[in-house]
Amino acid sequence: MKDRVSKYPGRALITPEDGSAPFYATITRADEPTQAGNPMGKITFLTDDTAKFAELDPEEATPNDMFRSLTPQIGDIKTTTSIGLSDNWLLCNGAPVFSSTYPDLYKMLATPANVLVQVSTTDTSPFLRVVTDGSSYLAITSSAVYVSSGLAQGFTKKTSSVFSGITFENACYANGTWVVMGKSSTTYYAFTLSSLTASPTKYTAFSVSDTTYSVYDLKYAAGYYVAVVATTGENGLHIYATNNLSGTWTSKTLTSSYRFGPFKPCLEYDSTAKLWIVSSGYYRYMSSNGVWHGQYTATATTPTSTWTQRELNEKNTKSNDVNPRVCMAYTGAYIVRVRQPYVTIAEAPTSTKYIERFNASTLKWELLHTVTLSGTPEVAIHNANDSKLYICDSTTLHKVALGNGAQESLAFEGAVTMNDLVLAGANWLAAGKGSQATSGTQTTAFAVNSAKRAPTISFDAVYSYIRAK
């Protein structure tokens, strides 16, 4: 702070209101004070010593700067016996901090390695699928639909009379509409929501021959909604497609010549090659050769046209061995899949998996990388921002650079089963069932690997808080 230095102390410019010429005058206070009071200036407002004590520039600091330095700023920590601080303060207990709620504090916090935070509901069933429009989320269990307008807001159960008696199996987001598929007995229905707060509309989709069928994948691309429906029985893999959810679904039966047991078939659309691709592990029984295990792929230019089917037989052995499974992702240029190889009961289970690229010209898979996973590959998503493939198995999220195969693994916090993975902005969400116990059962959990954490500070009988906003 600096004192004012006048060349002409007390001088003032007088401008008459009658329009006559302005003139200078010297003004001397003549109020005959009974108490002089403190002088107005640096010596009483902010001295150099005080400014230095507050780590302020003595030449530039003002009283306002001094008052601001005494006011807790975002990121400051205070310890107190009080437990009733305002919403501007967060308890230093290591809880997740999300950028959508506390953007300024989020920028200040360090990003710890391998952070995965559970955001739980009270539902004891695992989440099967989670879909996003980029900021909001819809998730399903087999018996309920959950919605969220953002991670900080948590998830709430969507209730509606049209959901009564439905077993939910899959969901997607397309054309500004949330779509959920489920069945009652052997009849499948499609439910649409124009927004997360809107009431769902119910459409009858198609019927299957028995209750063992499930919708393993549901995608929208090139004007079609496509469902991959499978069972472990004969004629076990089917394609159902429609370009209008209120209209007719066209069915295509694949693998019709033998008993077929698909293991989590998955579907992608290659917009570069303009090709639909289904991939799955399988076993089939042939009277002359016993049980064969392998990888199955089918392709079509449109989902309602003829599908070209190819197999990769691996072993001739017993049906209760470790079966091959796959998950797929679209990179924007081609389809990749993560393949779990077949393992016999005589062999030690292997953590080695294969990332393969689909060659649309030859309709064959080509090896890209060998990777190590903690468990069975459940889902894979390609992130165009970092050119990495994010693979979710039952316990871990793996990042693999498709250029050189470099791999990083991020373990979930106590998660035991993970079923799905989505990318929304900076947040990766894995849906499944966590290990937190509620009345002897497990609560459903989401894992977010881009969340940061508040500091963890603990003292007896007092509480530490960090200024958040």
Side-chain angles (χ1 to χ4, degrees), residues 357-377:
R357 168 184 173 176
F358 189 74
N359 188 321
S361 299
T362 62
L363 300 183
K364 294 182 178 180
W365 293 96
E366 302 168 345
L367 179 65
L368 280 180
H369 303 295
T370 299
V371 294
T372 300
L373 302 187
S374 306
T376 300

Side-chain angles (χ1 to χ4, degrees), residues 229-265:
V229 183
T231 181
T232 56
E234 294 184 8
N235 301 339
L237 187 60
H238 305 263
I239 300 296
Y240 287 86
T242 185
N243 53 18
N244 184 354
L245 290 174
S246 63
T248 302
W249 290 72
T250 299
S251 65
K252 291 289 181 177
T253 297
L254 307 181
T255 63
S256 59
S257 60
Y258 46 80
R259 174 175 286 275
F260 183 89
F263 301 107
K264 200 172 183 180

Side-chain angles (χ1 to χ4, degrees), residues 53-111:
F53 182 79
E55 299 182 348
L56 299 173
D57 183 352
E59 292 294 315
E60 301 297 333
T62 66
N64 182 69
D65 296 328
M66 186 65 192
F67 283 123
R68 184 173 177 81
S69 73
L70 298 175
T71 302
Q73 303 299 301
I74 293 175
D76 287 353
I77 292 176
K78 68 185 299 183
T79 299
T80 174
T81 57
S82 174
I83 58 174
L85 298 190
S86 70
D87 291 340
N88 291 340
W89 294 87
L90 293 178
L91 189 63
C92 291
N93 61 355
V97 175
F98 298 104
S99 60
S100 58
T101 308
Y102 305 106
D104 295 325
L105 177 62
Y106 184 89
K107 294 174 184 176
M108 295 178 179
L109 295 176
T111 304

Side-chain angles (χ1 to χ4, degrees), residues 44 115 126 181 261 263 280 296 306 425 443 445:
T44 55
V115 172
M181 288 207 74
F263 301 107
S280 175
Y296 172 86
T306 301
T443 59

Side-chain angles (χ1 to χ4, degrees), residues 380-411:
I381 294 181
H382 179 258
N383 183 7
N385 294 326
D386 61 10
S387 298
K388 292 182 180 180
L389 188 67
Y390 285 66
I391 307 164
C392 188
D393 62 31
S394 60
T395 62
T396 308
L397 179 63
H398 306 271
K399 298 192 295 184
V400 180
L402 290 181
N404 56 19
Q407 182 176 343
E408 177 184 0
S409 298
L410 311 175

